[in-house]
Amino acid sequence: MLARALDELGGISRRTFYRWREPRIAPACIRLPNGELRVRRDVLNDWLEERAEGVAS
């Protein structure tokens, strides 16, 4: 659920998340037939891991 992902990202606003989507900074989403967005748990975890400080590439 997108709301849960927003909470995990420090409680960012939905507007901030949509702004991140424009330049493709946000984690990849799935758009449901009703238009709602979802972020898969594994995608969010990978996205967070890629941005962790002090992680060797």
Side-chain angles (χ1 to χ4, degrees), residues 23-36:
R24 300 190 187 274
I25 296 170
C29 297
I30 299 168
R31 184 170 301 278
L32 300 177
N34 66 1
E36 291 184 23

Side-chain angles (χ1 to χ4, degrees), residues 2-48:
L2 184 59
R4 195 174 308 161
L6 297 177
D7 287 342
E8 281 199 45
L9 294 173
I12 65 168
S13 70
R14 190 173 290 267
R15 182 175 180 179
T16 296
F17 186 82
Y18 279 97
R19 283 184 178 174
W20 287 0
R21 281 178 46 87
E22 289 175 15
R24 300 190 187 274
I25 296 170
C29 297
I30 299 168
R31 184 170 301 278
L32 300 177
N34 66 1
E36 291 184 23
L37 295 177
R38 295 288 187 265
V39 179
R40 288 182 29 194
R41 166 60 48 199
D42 60 328
V43 171
L44 180 60
N45 288 343
D46 291 345
W47 187 86
L48 290 170

